[in-house]
Amino acid sequence: MGSDTANVPVLVAGAGPVGMTTALALHARGIETTILEAEPEDRDRSGSRAIYVHGTTLRTLERIHPGLGTDLVDEGLVWPTRRTLYKGTEVFNRTYDSPGGSGDIPHFTSVPQVTTEQYMLDALADVGIDIHWESEVVTVDSSSNGVRVETADGQEWETEYVVGADGGGSTVRKEIGANFEGDQSENAFLIADVVDEAIDDDHPDLERVFHYDAPEADGRNVLLVPFTGGWRLDIQCLEDDDPEELSSDERMREFVCDIMGEEYEDQLQWVSSYYFLQVMADSFIDDHRRVLLAGEAAHLLAPFGARGMNSGVADADEAASAISVALDARRDAVARDEIELYAARRETAAEYNLDAAGQALEYLQGEDPVTVLRKEVAASLADQFETAGEWLDDAPYGPHGSPPIVSTGNY
Ligand SMILES: Cc1cc2nc3c(=O)[nH]c(=O)nc-3n(C[C@H](O)[C@H](O)[C@H](O)COP(=O)(O)OP(=O)(O)OC[C@H]3O[C@@H](n4cnc5c(N)ncnc54)[C@H](O)[C@@H]3O)c2cc1C
């Protein structure tokens, strides 16, 4: 080993929510770790991205860093009302007395990803985990004895295990020779955050609204979800739309004004357009069972069902658990086996999540006559049969079946 080579038991590439969770989960198991992050400390993580944080995720965060889950619960909100409209007519409206359930951790909370990440950064500082900013991982060489990592500034690292949590464009994934397989949504989606300081847990009208073929969006599907301090506005482009043009400031202000009301016209905080990729790596681990992929480095999902960050947190916790057992193993074969089990579990979970998000996408974009007819019929029956409206309300989100790995509840 060269004199300037740094040595640490486990390296995490990427300080997104998944990398930070991995580091906290390793620390909780008594394992020393360091995060290498490509961007500078004062980076701008604009755009809230994940807002829907599942109860399972909150419980995991609370377990690995007591107070982290409950802090997010305090920061976030639980909307009690689900409402759906179809071409301007309400077809479903239900308010729950106790939408979060009982206990400290609700079924979900709605909190912007930037806030979640800030709490994670604070938790890392709390337990003294280093983030090496401006340390872009450029090479990853694994062998049966460990991994050698080099960052763009020329620093070399030697470590037992690497967790690649370096996002969709993952260098770690490419370095281990894994490839993304899958496809992309046909339609683009416009996603915006609209500021509304009045939105918090005590607000009287917290509702998630889905509007099929909304007249005020010229027949596009519209989703509105509240989070602390604002609203997530999601507009599904039509097939012939030019997403660049529609996401211009001027056009988005018009959308906001027409959909939400004039008082919101100047409250647009952030907007972006996406074609959602539906892909997963063909292997979540390297040949030597020393490098594990987690989060978006391993899989990219359309956000219907909110499985992206949530499943990334499950990856992170299970990666830490597998590494913890592997580090203590007296036999190499046992260590290898544990890492392989990680891959088997998380690849199964990713397939399940991709399938669920894919079904939701197909349903939303589906122009096939059966899907169109089912929606029309359900909307026409919603007045007499609540289940018809409930089906319309529920269908855009997944997953609808039970999770594939029942023992852990993680998926
Ligand atoms: C519009 C939208 C809405 C969403 N809504 C939800 C939701 O409601 N719920 C949900 O669960 N998910 C949601 N998601 C998905 C969620 O945002 C992502 O799954 C999540 O950010 C992935 O986290 P990550 O840590 O894997 O990757 P990232 O957040 O991309 O973090 C990767 C990190 O690695 C760093 N990096 C990259 N390359 C290198 C390198 N070579 N070396 C070192 N560091 C590197 C990057 O700078 C970054 O900090 C949504 C996504 C979008 C786009």
Side-chain angles (χ1 to χ4, degrees):
M1 190 194 313
S3 57
D4 57 353
T5 301
N7 209 331
V8 65
V10 182
L11 274 178
V12 176
V18 176
M20 290 194 276
T21 304
T22 307
L24 291 169
L26 286 163
H27 177 85
R29 291 167 171 91
I31 300 165
E32 199 193 325
T33 185
T34 292
I35 303 179
L36 304 177
E37 165 56 49
E39 293 190 326
E41 187 168 5
D42 61 354
R43 64 183 170 166
D44 175 19
R45 291 277 280 176
S46 56
S48 72
R49 303 213 281 165
I51 51 169
Y52 192 96
V53 184
H54 284 258
T56 325
T57 300
L58 295 167
R59 279 192 291 279
T60 299
L61 298 175
E62 184 65 17
R63 174 163 48 75
I64 61 175
H65 189 83
L68 178 54
T70 47
D71 277 347
L72 293 178
V73 173
D74 290 346
E75 270 298 326
L77 60 84
V78 178
W79 34 264
T81 301
R82 291 160 50 188
R83 197 156 75 87
T84 290
L85 297 97
Y86 193 86
K87 298 183 180 174
T89 305
E90 185 174 289
V91 290
F92 185 77
N93 189 342
R94 184 179 291 166
T95 298
Y96 295 84
D97 289 340
S98 175
S102 55
D104 289 349
I105 304 281
H107 300 317
F108 71 93
T109 192
S110 191
V111 61
Q113 186 167 324
V114 277
T115 308
T116 302
E117 291 187 11
Q118 190 51 54
Y119 274 94
M120 288 178 171
L121 282 170
D122 293 347
L124 292 171
D126 230 33
V127 295
I129 297 173
D130 275 347
I131 300 182
H132 287 250
W133 299 99
E134 297 181 73
S135 293
E136 181 191 354
V137 171
V138 287
T139 59
V140 178
D141 281 322
S142 65
S143 70
S144 50
N145 297 322
V147 195
R148 200 173 183 84
V149 170
E150 196 180 339
T151 46
D153 55 7
Q155 175 70 54
E156 290 194 355
W157 298 79
E158 286 209 343
T159 182
E160 297 278 338
Y161 290 94
V162 168
V163 178
D166 50 342
S170 173
T171 299
V172 178
R173 184 182 65 244
K174 290 168 196 152
E175 285 290 290
I176 66 168
N179 295 300
F180 266 162
E181 289 175 347
D183 50 28
Q184 173 178 299
S185 65
E186 283 160 30
N187 300 42
F189 292 79
L190 310 174
I191 316 254
D193 283 357
V194 181
V195 176
D196 185 344
E197 297 294 350
I199 298 294
D200 63 20
D201 234 353
D202 299 325
H203 194 280
D205 302 313
L206 293 177
E207 54 178 19
R208 185 273 285 138
V209 184
F210 190 87
H211 197 156
Y212 289 89
D213 301 359
E216 56 270 36
D218 303 323
R220 298 176 180 86
N221 291 337
V222 172
L223 172 67
L224 262 177
V225 186
F227 60 81
T228 306
W231 292 88
R232 161 68 48 80
L233 171 63
D234 181 336
I235 302 170
Q236 183 188 334
C237 293
L238 301 172
E239 216 179 312
D240 299 331
D241 281 344
D242 174 358
E244 288 261 318
E245 186 197 321
L246 291 185
S247 58
S248 69
D249 206 43
E250 197 189 339
R251 185 65 186 95
M252 277 309 293
R253 283 161 69 98
E254 263 177 56
F255 273 132
V256 169
C257 207
D258 294 345
I259 295 166
M260 302 179 67
E262 268 176 34
E263 66 274 29
Y264 288 100
E265 191 180 351
D266 296 325
Q267 301 304 318
L268 195 61
Q269 184 181 34
W270 167 83
V271 61
S272 196
S273 64
Y274 293 89
Y275 285 92
F276 291 117
L277 285 168
Q278 282 273 99
V279 291
M280 66 183 269
D282 50 10
S283 173
F284 282 19
I285 53 175
D286 68 320
D287 288 345
H288 298 288
R289 285 43 182 143
R290 291 283 179 172
V291 182
L292 299 79
L293 300 177
E296 291 204 335
H299 45 73
L300 286 171
L301 312 167
F304 309 101
R307 298 302 318 152
M309 187 180 80
N310 286 297
S311 70
V313 165
D315 292 343
D317 190 37
E318 294 202 24
S321 171
I323 289 171
S324 163
V325 175
L327 282 172
D328 279 346
R330 291 194 176 146
R331 304 272 177 265
D332 284 352
V334 171
R336 286 174 63 88
D337 198 45
E338 200 58 34
I339 304 302
E340 282 168 10
L341 273 173
Y342 165 79
R345 281 199 294 262
R346 298 318 299 161
E347 285 170 17
T348 304
E351 276 161 14
Y352 173 80
N353 288 319
L354 273 169
D355 191 45
Q359 279 177 29
L361 256 185
E362 206 175 296
Y363 170 84
L364 285 172
Q365 300 177 145
E367 287 305 318
D368 73 286
V370 177
T371 309
V372 173
L373 196 65
R374 283 175 80 190
K375 291 182 204 172
E376 288 284 351
V377 171
S380 68
L381 294 174
D383 229 10
Q384 296 96 350
F385 301 103
E386 201 192 17
T387 45
E390 189 169 16
W391 178 77
L392 282 167
D393 183 79
D394 198 40
Y397 321 96
H400 293 109
S402 48
I405 302 158
V406 181
S407 59
T408 59
N410 281 342
Y411 62 102

